[in-house]
Amino acid sequence: GSLCRSLMRDKFEGTDLVRYNGYVSMGIMLAPLLAPLIGGYLNLHFGWQSMYLFLLVVGLLITLVMVFRFRETLPPECRHAQPMLPAYQHVLHNSAFCRQLGMLMAAFAGVILYEAVFGVLVSQQSQLTSTEISLLFVLPLPLYFAGAMLASIKAASWSIHRLQWISTVALLLGASIVLVSAFEPVLSVAGLVLGGSFYFAGAGILFPVATSRAVAPFPQHSGTAGALLGGSSNLGGGVFLLVQGALPQMNQSVLGGLLLAFAGLVAWLLIPRSDALPEPGG
């Protein structure tokens, strides 16, 4: 998760960086879609132990690719030896990086929360089968791919600031639909799917754009910046899920309220600060 962000910064700049980070984001979100399908097939036909064999084979293939095909991507002129702690301090002292990191953590927390509770909420509110619930679960994912593709295509003609505001509006709209539909039982499941689709579309735009904007100022610290982005997003999301598990109840209105809070935090972090420099072309 850290390397894929750092490698893109090493190889690309400007609009190319946003475009290729969009492709990486689509790959990252494709895994949760394919994993249950592959795992279910293996479990059904070969037993649950086969999943560990599958992971071993995948791990070996990745190792072979890294050993025989992977090469250093950071140009020699950009290499800069520095102890780890000062490098982290250098990156974290950049206020723009911290704002982008905050946006990524907030949006990512909403995505994993939605994925964690969707199946439980739908099963409580409907008589759908597990197969039908699984189909509803994957419906928002194409919207994520569409958002990431939009960011990749429009990176050359739209400013990063514009793309981030579009993503924020989608996040706010999706969270609002989830929250409002919770009070209408007939529309609750439809609102959960529709709201999740808008939220995922906003996340699809935000992830590659915010990642690119965060790592862009650090040509000599791309590894450090990528490690902070990947590690902090996953750690923050995991800690939030741990806290969420301690809540006395989880229903659609609580989910909608939390998603709205996450989207509101993204919007607040996106508001320009008085000491921020204007973005060229913004």
Side-chain angles (χ1 to χ4, degrees):
S2 301
L3 276 177
C4 65
R5 295 168 173 85
S6 304
L7 297 179
M8 295 302 102
R9 178 61 186 89
D10 290 347
K11 298 287 290 184
F12 307 105
E13 294 183 357
T15 58
D16 286 339
L17 179 60
V18 177
R19 183 166 75 252
Y20 284 98
N21 268 328
Y23 299 149
V24 170
S25 295
M26 285 186 279
I28 291 175
M29 284 300 292
L30 185 62
L33 175 62
L34 295 179
L37 300 177
I38 297 174
Y41 178 84
L42 292 174
N43 180 56
L44 179 63
H45 294 281
F46 304 103
W48 62 268
Q49 297 92 338
S50 63
M51 287 184 276
Y52 292 97
L53 178 61
F54 175 81
L55 293 176
L56 175 62
V57 172
V58 171
L60 290 174
L61 289 175
I62 293 174
T63 302
L64 290 174
V65 171
M66 294 290 288
V67 170
F68 293 105
R69 299 294 299 175
F70 184 77
R71 298 293 181 269
E72 176 60 56
T73 55
L74 187 64
E77 62 272 15
C78 293
R79 298 174 190 175
H80 176 65
Q82 187 177 18
M84 183 177 66
L85 185 57
Y88 277 88
Q89 291 176 334
H90 172 75
V91 174
L92 287 174
H93 281 168
N94 186 296
S95 61
F97 174 87
C98 292
R99 289 199 298 273
Q100 302 303 316
L101 175 59
M103 294 179 204
L104 289 170
M105 292 178 67
F108 183 68
V111 168
I112 62 174
L113 175 63
Y114 180 91
E115 291 180 338
V117 304
F118 176 86
V120 176
L121 295 181
V122 174
S123 62
Q124 292 174 349
Q125 298 168 182
S126 69
Q127 301 298 321
L128 298 176
T129 65
S130 59
T131 301
E132 292 169 335
I133 293 175
S134 299
L135 292 174
L136 291 178
F137 175 76
V138 301
L139 283 181
L141 292 179
L143 273 295
Y144 179 93
F145 299 140
M149 184 61 70
L150 176 66
S152 300
I153 294 174
K154 292 298 184 179
S157 56
W158 292 358
S159 70
I160 287 180
H161 194 68
R162 181 180 181 183
L163 285 169
Q164 286 187 310
W165 270 115
I166 293 174
S167 70
T168 303
V169 170
L171 292 173
L172 290 169
L173 179 60
S176 299
I177 292 175
V178 172
L179 179 60
V180 172
S181 62
F183 300 99
E184 182 55 56
V186 177
L187 301 176
S188 59
V189 174
L192 192 60
V193 175
L194 181 61
S197 298
F198 276 104
Y199 195 93
F200 272 59
I205 301 173
L206 181 67
F207 287 171
V209 173
T211 298
S212 301
R213 194 169 190 180
V215 301
F218 305 105
Q220 294 182 333
H221 294 81
S222 60
T224 303
L228 282 170
L229 287 175
S232 299
S233 297
N234 291 326
L235 178 62
V239 170
F240 174 77
L241 279 185
L242 184 64
V243 173
Q244 174 269 322
L247 293 176
Q249 66 173 348
M250 172 54 69
N251 52 41
Q252 187 167 334
S253 60
V254 175
L255 172 62
L258 290 173
L259 291 179
L260 193 59
F262 293 142
L265 179 58
V266 173
W268 181 76
L269 290 170
L270 190 54
I271 297 174
R273 302 299 188 265
S274 59
D275 57 345
L277 295 176
E279 179 189 352

